[in-house]
């Protein structure tokens, strides 16, 4: 079965550089979530999109932005990178569901970002 | 108070025993509840989801939900060393708003 695809798998950037992470959800999934996970920490919610509109916003720095495109893939753009941005970045998607009964999130394999 | 709370552990159980993982949530309007397993450096993997009060069983796993007490748990029967991982509780507060707990680290001792 098709899964959530994230690219790249690994990314090394220097401080103050920019990075773009991509996420391709499972076909027919209309909701995309982005999470950041530092070493030994739980996933921290950054932002989510439903039908190409931002649906929720978490602890996403102002230096980061994201969007969901017409084909439902999503990109997380990160600028002025800092050492503390080094983490695993997960994308997850879920299929259409009712307002309250959210279908489960399915995670991609993540992008490991290292800022030097 | 955090929106979703879990005991960080580690929870150590002998092989073959029952592991009991607990989660409480603060938003009484929450409707959907998920358990994920995460191995170090890997992505979270869905184990169970539950929407209604009571128990839901799937193989060695049983999820239990008590909305009145705002409590959800995961039981793992016949625990195996391969079950050693971090277990994340996730709660949907509606409108695609999903919050994760900090996770409980489970160690199954052979």
């Amino acid at each position: 079965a098709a899964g959530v695809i994230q690219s790249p798998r690994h990314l090394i950037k220097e401080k103050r550089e920019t990075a773009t992470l991509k996420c391709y959800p499972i076909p027919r999934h209309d909701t995309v979530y982005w999470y950041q996970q530092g070493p030994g920490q739980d996933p921290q919610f950054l932002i989510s999109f439903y039908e190409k509109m931002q649906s929720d916003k978490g602890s996403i720095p102002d230096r980061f932005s994201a969007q969901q495109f017409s084909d439902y893939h999503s990109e997380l753009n990160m600028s002025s990178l800092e050492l503390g941005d080094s983490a695993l970045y997960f994308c997850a998607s879920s299929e259409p569901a009712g307002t309250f009964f959210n279908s489960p999130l399915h995670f991609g394999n993540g992008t490991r970002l290292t800022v030097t | 108070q955090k929106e979703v709370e879990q005991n960080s552990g580690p929870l150590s159980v002998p092989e073959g025993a029952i592991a009991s993982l607990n989660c409480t949530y603060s938003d009484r309007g929450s409707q959907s509840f998920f358990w994920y397993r995460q191995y170090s450096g890997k992505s979270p993997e869905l184990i169970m989801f539950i929407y209604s009060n009571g128990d839901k069983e799937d193989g060695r796993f049983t999820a239990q939900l008590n909305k009145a007490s705002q409590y959800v748990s995961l039981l793992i029967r016949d625990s195996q060393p391969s079950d050693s991982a971090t277990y994340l509780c996730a709660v949907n507060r509606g409108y695609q708003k999903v919050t994760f707990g900090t996770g409980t680290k489970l160690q199954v001792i052979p």
Side-chain angles (χ1 to χ4, degrees), chain B residues 83-95:
Chain B
D83 294 327
S84 298
T86 297
Y87 288 80
L88 298 162
C89 171
V91 174
N92 172 38
R93 300 171 286 118
Y95 299 98

Side-chain angles (χ1 to χ4, degrees), chain A residues 6 38 52 61 95 100 108:
Chain A
Q6 289 187 248
K52 293 154 279 185
E95 63 184 69
F100 290 99

Side-chain angles (χ1 to χ4, degrees), chain A residues 31 33 35 37 41-45 48 50 55-57 88 90 94 97-110 112, chain B residues 2 29-32 34 36 38 40-46 49 51-52 67 88 92-103:
Chain A
T31 306
Y33 307 77
Y35 288 86
Q37 188 172 32
Q41 298 180 356
D42 58 298
Q44 294 295 311
F45 172 68
S48 62
Y50 168 64
S55 57
D56 195 11
K57 190 172 183 179
L88 263 173
F90 290 111
S94 65
T99 299
F100 290 99
F101 290 89
N102 206 59
S103 56
L105 277 63
H106 297 268
F107 284 81
N109 289 326
R112 182 174 295 280
Chain B
K2 292 196 70 174
S30 300
Q31 297 289 337
S32 312
F34 312 103
Y36 288 83
Q38 186 176 28
S40 180
K42 302 296 185 181
S43 60
E45 172 194 10
L46 180 69
F49 60 91
Y51 301 149
S52 304
K67 290 185 180 179
L88 298 162
N92 172 38
R93 300 171 286 118
Y95 299 98
Q96 294 84 37
K97 299 180 190 297
V98 179
T99 302
F100 281 81
T102 54

Side-chain angles (χ1 to χ4, degrees), chain B residues 39-99:
Chain B
Y39 296 109
S40 180
K42 302 296 185 181
S43 60
E45 172 194 10
L46 180 69
I47 298 176
M48 296 278 294
F49 60 91
I50 187 166
Y51 301 149
S52 304
N53 276 328
D55 295 358
K56 180 181 179 183
E57 187 175 319
D58 184 1
R60 296 187 297 113
F61 299 98
T62 298
Q64 299 175 317
L65 174 61
N66 184 326
K67 290 185 180 179
S69 299
Q70 295 175 243
Y71 174 92
V72 58
S73 65
L74 179 70
L75 300 178
I76 305 175
R77 289 181 298 281
D78 188 25
S79 296
Q80 301 297 309
S82 58
D83 294 327
S84 298
T86 297
Y87 288 80
L88 298 162
C89 171
V91 174
N92 172 38
R93 300 171 286 118
Y95 299 98
Q96 294 84 37
K97 299 180 190 297
V98 179
T99 302

Side-chain angles (χ1 to χ4, degrees), chain A residues 8-12 39 87-89 110-114, chain B residues 40-42:
Chain A
R9 290 297 306 277
H10 302 273
L11 189 59
I12 300 175
L88 263 173
Y89 289 83
T111 293
R112 182 174 295 280
L113 172 66
T114 302
Chain B
S40 180
K42 302 296 185 181

